[in-house]
Amino acid sequence: MFKNTVTDLLEKALVERPDLFLIDFSIDSSNHIKVIIDGDNGVLVEDCMFISRAIEHNLDREEQDFSLEVMSAGATAPLVHNRQYKKNIKRTLEVRTPSDKIEGILTKATDDTITLEWKVREPKPVGKGKVTVKKEANIAYKDIVEAKVMIKF
C-alpha cells in the first residue's frame, strides 16, 4: 500500500517534469525511500528538491514513518537508461559486451543502438611502421553488459 502510494506520487512528479527520468527506486523494510534520477540536461539540486517535495508533501508522517533520499545518478555510475546515452554523445565511454570491452567516443545513440568511434595504431599493410586507423562499432543496447562515462582530466 505504502509503496504504491509513493510510486504514484513519483510517477506524477516525473510526468510534470518530462526532462527528468527514473534510474532507480526502492523502499526497504524500514520505509527508507531511495530515488535516483537523471535528466536530459543533467540534474540540479532543485530537481532533486522537486521530486522530494512531490513525494514528502503528499505523505502523512503521522500515518507512516519514513525517510526519503533523492539523488542524481553519479558521474561514475554505469549508464542504465537509453536517454542517458543520448545526453552523453561526444563523450568517451567504456562499453563492455559479453565478448568485448571497447573504449571510444559516443557519436550516435538511436532507440536501439549506440555508435562508438576510436583510433588505433596498426601495422602498415606494406612496409614497416604503423598507421592510425579509425574504427567504429555499432552496439545494440541489449548487448551492453555495462557502460560508463570515462572522466578525463
Side-chain angles (χ1 to χ4, degrees):
M1 174 74 180
F2 179 68
K3 185 170 184 163
N4 293 341
T5 304
V6 175
T7 302
D8 290 344
L9 292 170
L10 181 57
E11 286 173 359
K12 285 178 190 170
L14 291 172
V15 165
E16 229 176 288
R17 291 286 308 275
D19 60 315
L20 300 176
F21 51 93
L22 186 64
I23 298 298
D24 194 25
F25 165 64
S26 63
I27 301 176
D28 67 17
S29 59
S30 61
N31 282 345
H32 175 74
I33 305 164
K34 184 176 180 181
V35 179
I36 301 175
I37 58 171
D38 204 346
D40 295 325
N41 304 310
V43 177
L44 303 172
V45 171
E46 289 80 9
D47 299 328
C48 292
M49 288 169 44
F50 172 80
I51 298 294
S52 177
R53 288 180 180 147
I55 295 170
E56 190 170 12
H57 290 196
N58 292 297
L59 295 175
D60 185 3
R61 284 197 183 269
E62 299 295 320
E63 191 179 298
Q64 194 82 40
D65 188 33
F66 65 91
S67 61
L68 176 61
E69 184 180 9
V70 179
M71 66 185 86
S72 67
T76 59
L79 305 180
V80 295
H81 197 286
N82 293 9
R83 285 170 69 177
Q84 287 180 296
Y85 291 93
K86 290 178 180 158
K87 77 174 208 165
N88 283 298
I89 288 177
K90 296 187 180 170
R91 295 186 75 186
T92 302
L93 297 187
E94 181 181 271
V95 178
R96 197 163 45 90
T97 65
S99 61
D100 210 0
K101 187 176 185 179
I102 303 168
E103 185 173 318
I105 296 172
L106 179 63
T107 57
K108 191 165 134 189
T110 66
D111 292 337
D112 303 316
T113 64
I114 63 168
T115 303
L116 291 178
E117 288 182 359
W118 68 98
K119 293 178 182 174
V120 293
R121 301 278 293 159
E122 292 183 348
K124 286 183 178 178
V126 177
K128 293 183 179 181
K130 292 189 175 190
V131 63
T132 301
V133 179
K134 190 176 187 180
K135 299 272 187 168
E136 182 178 282
N138 292 313
I139 306 167
Y141 291 116
K142 63 181 177 57
D143 295 333
I144 297 173
V145 174
E146 182 180 68
K148 288 185 176 183
V149 175
M150 301 305 293
I151 300 170
K152 306 249 178 176
F153 295 98

PDB file of all heavy atoms in Angstrom, residues 17 20 35-38 43-55 68-73:
ATOM      1  N   ARG A  17       7.551  16.777 -14.939  1.00  0.00           N
ATOM      2  CA  ARG A  17       8.898  17.171 -15.387  1.00  0.00           C
ATOM      3  C   ARG A  17       9.421  16.147 -16.383  1.00  0.00           C
ATOM      4  O   ARG A  17      10.209  15.270 -16.037  1.00  0.00           O
ATOM      5  CB  ARG A  17       9.842  17.250 -14.181  1.00  0.00           C
ATOM      6  CG  ARG A  17       9.570  18.393 -13.209  1.00  0.00           C
ATOM      7  CD  ARG A  17       9.996  19.740 -13.774  1.00  0.00           C
ATOM      8  NE  ARG A  17      11.368  19.742 -14.268  1.00  0.00           N
ATOM      9  CZ  ARG A  17      12.442  19.959 -13.515  1.00  0.00           C
ATOM     10  NH1 ARG A  17      12.318  20.200 -12.237  1.00  0.00           N
ATOM     11  NH2 ARG A  17      13.654  19.940 -14.056  1.00  0.00           N
ATOM     12  N   LEU A  20      13.144  14.918 -16.717  1.00  0.00           N
ATOM     13  CA  LEU A  20      13.741  14.024 -15.719  1.00  0.00           C
ATOM     14  C   LEU A  20      13.247  12.595 -15.953  1.00  0.00           C
ATOM     15  O   LEU A  20      12.133  12.386 -16.430  1.00  0.00           O
ATOM     16  CB  LEU A  20      13.359  14.456 -14.300  1.00  0.00           C
ATOM     17  CG  LEU A  20      13.788  15.855 -13.866  1.00  0.00           C
ATOM     18  CD1 LEU A  20      13.251  16.169 -12.475  1.00  0.00           C
ATOM     19  CD2 LEU A  20      15.302  15.998 -13.902  1.00  0.00           C
ATOM     20  N   VAL A  35      15.423   7.294  -4.173  1.00  0.00           N
ATOM     21  CA  VAL A  35      15.089   7.596  -5.552  1.00  0.00           C
ATOM     22  C   VAL A  35      16.345   8.139  -6.238  1.00  0.00           C
ATOM     23  O   VAL A  35      16.969   9.065  -5.729  1.00  0.00           O
ATOM     24  CB  VAL A  35      13.959   8.650  -5.632  1.00  0.00           C
ATOM     25  CG1 VAL A  35      13.639   8.985  -7.080  1.00  0.00           C
ATOM     26  CG2 VAL A  35      12.717   8.182  -4.898  1.00  0.00           C
ATOM     27  N   ILE A  36      16.701   7.551  -7.376  1.00  0.00           N
ATOM     28  CA  ILE A  36      17.824   8.048  -8.167  1.00  0.00           C
ATOM     29  C   ILE A  36      17.269   8.488  -9.512  1.00  0.00           C
ATOM     30  O   ILE A  36      16.600   7.711 -10.201  1.00  0.00           O
ATOM     31  CB  ILE A  36      18.910   6.971  -8.359  1.00  0.00           C
ATOM     32  CG1 ILE A  36      19.428   6.497  -7.004  1.00  0.00           C
ATOM     33  CG2 ILE A  36      20.060   7.517  -9.217  1.00  0.00           C
ATOM     34  CD1 ILE A  36      20.412   5.348  -7.070  1.00  0.00           C
ATOM     35  N   ILE A  37      17.532   9.758  -9.851  1.00  0.00           N
ATOM     36  CA  ILE A  37      17.013  10.329 -11.094  1.00  0.00           C
ATOM     37  C   ILE A  37      18.152  10.825 -11.971  1.00  0.00           C
ATOM     38  O   ILE A  37      19.277  11.009 -11.507  1.00  0.00           O
ATOM     39  CB  ILE A  37      16.024  11.497 -10.819  1.00  0.00           C
ATOM     40  CG1 ILE A  37      16.709  12.603 -10.004  1.00  0.00           C
ATOM     41  CG2 ILE A  37      14.760  10.997 -10.165  1.00  0.00           C
ATOM     42  CD1 ILE A  37      15.884  13.880  -9.868  1.00  0.00           C
ATOM     43  N   ASP A  38      17.839  11.039 -13.227  1.00  0.00           N
ATOM     44  CA  ASP A  38      18.756  11.685 -14.151  1.00  0.00           C
ATOM     45  C   ASP A  38      17.902  12.583 -15.027  1.00  0.00           C
ATOM     46  O   ASP A  38      16.672  12.497 -15.007  1.00  0.00           O
ATOM     47  CB  ASP A  38      19.519  10.651 -14.984  1.00  0.00           C
ATOM     48  CG  ASP A  38      20.849  11.196 -15.509  1.00  0.00           C
ATOM     49  OD1 ASP A  38      21.059  12.431 -15.458  1.00  0.00           O
ATOM     50  OD2 ASP A  38      21.674  10.401 -15.972  1.00  0.00           O
ATOM     51  N   VAL A  43      21.135  16.970 -13.749  1.00  0.00           N
ATOM     52  CA  VAL A  43      20.241  17.106 -12.600  1.00  0.00           C
ATOM     53  C   VAL A  43      20.807  18.157 -11.664  1.00  0.00           C
ATOM     54  O   VAL A  43      21.969  18.086 -11.267  1.00  0.00           O
ATOM     55  CB  VAL A  43      20.092  15.758 -11.852  1.00  0.00           C
ATOM     56  CG1 VAL A  43      19.217  15.923 -10.621  1.00  0.00           C
ATOM     57  CG2 VAL A  43      19.501  14.702 -12.760  1.00  0.00           C
ATOM     58  N   LEU A  44      19.975  19.114 -11.318  1.00  0.00           N
ATOM     59  CA  LEU A  44      20.352  20.147 -10.351  1.00  0.00           C
ATOM     60  C   LEU A  44      19.785  19.793  -8.987  1.00  0.00           C
ATOM     61  O   LEU A  44      18.873  18.961  -8.875  1.00  0.00           O
ATOM     62  CB  LEU A  44      19.800  21.508 -10.789  1.00  0.00           C
ATOM     63  CG  LEU A  44      20.221  22.004 -12.174  1.00  0.00           C
ATOM     64  CD1 LEU A  44      19.446  23.260 -12.547  1.00  0.00           C
ATOM     65  CD2 LEU A  44      21.712  22.257 -12.211  1.00  0.00           C
ATOM     66  N   VAL A  45      20.295  20.456  -7.964  1.00  0.00           N
ATOM     67  CA  VAL A  45      19.766  20.246  -6.617  1.00  0.00           C
ATOM     68  C   VAL A  45      18.270  20.557  -6.599  1.00  0.00           C
ATOM     69  O   VAL A  45      17.482  19.865  -5.946  1.00  0.00           O
ATOM     70  CB  VAL A  45      20.522  21.127  -5.593  1.00  0.00           C
ATOM     71  CG1 VAL A  45      19.862  21.088  -4.230  1.00  0.00           C
ATOM     72  CG2 VAL A  45      21.978  20.699  -5.496  1.00  0.00           C
ATOM     73  N   GLU A  46      17.866  21.567  -7.351  1.00  0.00           N
ATOM     74  CA  GLU A  46      16.450  21.958  -7.413  1.00  0.00           C
ATOM     75  C   GLU A  46      15.582  20.831  -7.973  1.00  0.00           C
ATOM     76  O   GLU A  46      14.428  20.670  -7.568  1.00  0.00           O
ATOM     77  CB  GLU A  46      16.270  23.229  -8.263  1.00  0.00           C
ATOM     78  CG  GLU A  46      16.787  24.492  -7.625  1.00  0.00           C
ATOM     79  CD  GLU A  46      18.309  24.669  -7.738  1.00  0.00           C
ATOM     80  OE1 GLU A  46      18.983  23.892  -8.462  1.00  0.00           O
ATOM     81  OE2 GLU A  46      18.826  25.570  -7.068  1.00  0.00           O
ATOM     82  N   ASP A  47      16.132  20.058  -8.902  1.00  0.00           N
ATOM     83  CA  ASP A  47      15.388  18.922  -9.464  1.00  0.00           C
ATOM     84  C   ASP A  47      15.160  17.852  -8.402  1.00  0.00           C
ATOM     85  O   ASP A  47      14.057  17.302  -8.292  1.00  0.00           O
ATOM     86  CB  ASP A  47      16.147  18.311 -10.649  1.00  0.00           C
ATOM     87  CG  ASP A  47      16.342  19.302 -11.790  1.00  0.00           C
ATOM     88  OD1 ASP A  47      15.462  20.166 -11.988  1.00  0.00           O
ATOM     89  OD2 ASP A  47      17.373  19.204 -12.477  1.00  0.00           O
ATOM     90  N   CYS A  48      16.189  17.586  -7.599  1.00  0.00           N
ATOM     91  CA  CYS A  48      16.051  16.615  -6.504  1.00  0.00           C
ATOM     92  C   CYS A  48      15.045  17.125  -5.477  1.00  0.00           C
ATOM     93  O   CYS A  48      14.240  16.353  -4.951  1.00  0.00           O
ATOM     94  CB  CYS A  48      17.405  16.352  -5.842  1.00  0.00           C
ATOM     95  SG  CYS A  48      18.567  15.467  -6.907  1.00  0.00           S
ATOM     96  N   MET A  49      15.092  18.427  -5.196  1.00  0.00           N
ATOM     97  CA  MET A  49      14.145  19.018  -4.245  1.00  0.00           C
ATOM     98  C   MET A  49      12.716  18.902  -4.762  1.00  0.00           C
ATOM     99  O   MET A  49      11.796  18.609  -3.996  1.00  0.00           O
ATOM    100  CB  MET A  49      14.497  20.483  -3.988  1.00  0.00           C
ATOM    101  CG  MET A  49      15.756  20.660  -3.163  1.00  0.00           C
ATOM    102  SD  MET A  49      16.409  22.343  -3.084  1.00  0.00           S
ATOM    103  CE  MET A  49      14.997  23.347  -2.808  1.00  0.00           C
ATOM    104  N   PHE A  50      12.520  19.108  -6.052  1.00  0.00           N
ATOM    105  CA  PHE A  50      11.190  18.999  -6.644  1.00  0.00           C
ATOM    106  C   PHE A  50      10.615  17.599  -6.444  1.00  0.00           C
ATOM    107  O   PHE A  50       9.470  17.441  -6.010  1.00  0.00           O
ATOM    108  CB  PHE A  50      11.254  19.339  -8.151  1.00  0.00           C
ATOM    109  CG  PHE A  50       9.963  19.072  -8.871  1.00  0.00           C
ATOM    110  CD1 PHE A  50       8.914  19.969  -8.808  1.00  0.00           C
ATOM    111  CD2 PHE A  50       9.789  17.899  -9.600  1.00  0.00           C
ATOM    112  CE1 PHE A  50       7.718  19.714  -9.464  1.00  0.00           C
ATOM    113  CE2 PHE A  50       8.605  17.634 -10.256  1.00  0.00           C
ATOM    114  CZ  PHE A  50       7.561  18.546 -10.188  1.00  0.00           C
ATOM    115  N   ILE A  51      11.407  16.575  -6.756  1.00  0.00           N
ATOM    116  CA  ILE A  51      10.952  15.187  -6.602  1.00  0.00           C
ATOM    117  C   ILE A  51      10.708  14.880  -5.126  1.00  0.00           C
ATOM    118  O   ILE A  51       9.696  14.269  -4.760  1.00  0.00           O
ATOM    119  CB  ILE A  51      11.976  14.194  -7.205  1.00  0.00           C
ATOM    120  CG1 ILE A  51      12.135  14.425  -8.716  1.00  0.00           C
ATOM    121  CG2 ILE A  51      11.592  12.747  -6.901  1.00  0.00           C
ATOM    122  CD1 ILE A  51      10.912  14.128  -9.553  1.00  0.00           C
ATOM    123  N   SER A  52      11.618  15.313  -4.273  1.00  0.00           N
ATOM    124  CA  SER A  52      11.487  15.075  -2.837  1.00  0.00           C
ATOM    125  C   SER A  52      10.199  15.684  -2.285  1.00  0.00           C
ATOM    126  O   SER A  52       9.451  15.036  -1.561  1.00  0.00           O
ATOM    127  CB  SER A  52      12.704  15.657  -2.107  1.00  0.00           C
ATOM    128  OG  SER A  52      12.568  15.503  -0.721  1.00  0.00           O
ATOM    129  N   ARG A  53       9.946  16.927  -2.649  1.00  0.00           N
ATOM    130  CA  ARG A  53       8.728  17.601  -2.163  1.00  0.00           C
ATOM    131  C   ARG A  53       7.468  16.967  -2.726  1.00  0.00           C
ATOM    132  O   ARG A  53       6.457  16.879  -2.036  1.00  0.00           O
ATOM    133  CB  ARG A  53       8.792  19.081  -2.514  1.00  0.00           C
ATOM    134  CG  ARG A  53       9.789  19.823  -1.671  1.00  0.00           C
ATOM    135  CD  ARG A  53       9.858  21.285  -2.023  1.00  0.00           C
ATOM    136  NE  ARG A  53      10.833  21.948  -1.171  1.00  0.00           N
ATOM    137  CZ  ARG A  53      11.572  22.958  -1.540  1.00  0.00           C
ATOM    138  NH1 ARG A  53      11.443  23.467  -2.756  1.00  0.00           N
ATOM    139  NH2 ARG A  53      12.435  23.499  -0.706  1.00  0.00           N
ATOM    140  N   ALA A  54       7.525  16.537  -3.974  1.00  0.00           N
ATOM    141  CA  ALA A  54       6.356  15.905  -4.590  1.00  0.00           C
ATOM    142  C   ALA A  54       5.957  14.646  -3.835  1.00  0.00           C
ATOM    143  O   ALA A  54       4.774  14.313  -3.745  1.00  0.00           O
ATOM    144  CB  ALA A  54       6.653  15.574  -6.049  1.00  0.00           C
ATOM    145  N   ILE A  55       6.932  13.961  -3.273  1.00  0.00           N
ATOM    146  CA  ILE A  55       6.643  12.749  -2.504  1.00  0.00           C
ATOM    147  C   ILE A  55       6.321  13.102  -1.052  1.00  0.00           C
ATOM    148  O   ILE A  55       5.259  12.759  -0.536  1.00  0.00           O
ATOM    149  CB  ILE A  55       7.836  11.763  -2.566  1.00  0.00           C
ATOM    150  CG1 ILE A  55       8.041  11.277  -4.000  1.00  0.00           C
ATOM    151  CG2 ILE A  55       7.611  10.580  -1.624  1.00  0.00           C
ATOM    152  CD1 ILE A  55       9.322  10.509  -4.227  1.00  0.00           C
ATOM    153  N   LEU A  68      13.410   9.744   3.357  1.00  0.00           N
ATOM    154  CA  LEU A  68      13.421   9.925   1.914  1.00  0.00           C
ATOM    155  C   LEU A  68      14.766  10.448   1.451  1.00  0.00           C
ATOM    156  O   LEU A  68      15.306  11.391   2.023  1.00  0.00           O
ATOM    157  CB  LEU A  68      12.311  10.906   1.509  1.00  0.00           C
ATOM    158  CG  LEU A  68      12.222  11.311   0.047  1.00  0.00           C
ATOM    159  CD1 LEU A  68      11.958  10.120  -0.859  1.00  0.00           C
ATOM    160  CD2 LEU A  68      11.123  12.358  -0.138  1.00  0.00           C
ATOM    161  N   GLU A  69      15.305   9.819   0.428  1.00  0.00           N
ATOM    162  CA  GLU A  69      16.581  10.219  -0.153  1.00  0.00           C
ATOM    163  C   GLU A  69      16.403  10.297  -1.671  1.00  0.00           C
ATOM    164  O   GLU A  69      16.047   9.309  -2.312  1.00  0.00           O
ATOM    165  CB  GLU A  69      17.627   9.157   0.216  1.00  0.00           C
ATOM    166  CG  GLU A  69      19.016   9.428  -0.204  1.00  0.00           C
ATOM    167  CD  GLU A  69      19.973   8.309   0.226  1.00  0.00           C
ATOM    168  OE1 GLU A  69      19.522   7.248   0.706  1.00  0.00           O
ATOM    169  OE2 GLU A  69      21.176   8.507   0.047  1.00  0.00           O
ATOM    170  N   VAL A  70      16.625  11.497  -2.237  1.00  0.00           N
ATOM    171  CA  VAL A  70      16.532  11.694  -3.678  1.00  0.00           C
ATOM    172  C   VAL A  70      17.889  12.182  -4.157  1.00  0.00           C
ATOM    173  O   VAL A  70      18.439  13.134  -3.610  1.00  0.00           O
ATOM    174  CB  VAL A  70      15.443  12.727  -4.050  1.00  0.00           C
ATOM    175  CG1 VAL A  70      15.388  12.921  -5.562  1.00  0.00           C
ATOM    176  CG2 VAL A  70      14.085  12.291  -3.536  1.00  0.00           C
ATOM    177  N   MET A  71      18.446  11.511  -5.159  1.00  0.00           N
ATOM    178  CA  MET A  71      19.770  11.888  -5.648  1.00  0.00           C
ATOM    179  C   MET A  71      19.860  11.704  -7.153  1.00  0.00           C
ATOM    180  O   MET A  71      19.021  11.043  -7.763  1.00  0.00           O
ATOM    181  CB  MET A  71      20.841  11.065  -4.946  1.00  0.00           C
ATOM    182  CG  MET A  71      20.781   9.584  -5.269  1.00  0.00           C
ATOM    183  SD  MET A  71      21.945   8.602  -4.350  1.00  0.00           S
ATOM    184  CE  MET A  71      21.001   8.313  -2.871  1.00  0.00           C
ATOM    185  N   SER A  72      20.897  12.299  -7.717  1.00  0.00           N
ATOM    186  CA  SER A  72      21.143  12.117  -9.143  1.00  0.00           C
ATOM    187  C   SER A  72      22.054  10.917  -9.337  1.00  0.00           C
ATOM    188  O   SER A  72      22.769  10.520  -8.419  1.00  0.00           O
ATOM    189  CB  SER A  72      21.804  13.371  -9.733  1.00  0.00           C
ATOM    190  OG  SER A  72      23.098  13.521  -9.193  1.00  0.00           O
ATOM    191  N   ALA A  73      22.018  10.375 -10.543  1.00  0.00           N
ATOM    192  CA  ALA A  73      22.942   9.286 -10.883  1.00  0.00           C
ATOM    193  C   ALA A  73      24.341   9.885 -10.891  1.00  0.00           C
ATOM    194  O   ALA A  73      24.569  10.937 -11.459  1.00  0.00           O
ATOM    195  CB  ALA A  73      22.597   8.723 -12.257  1.00  0.00           C
TER     196      ALA A  73
END
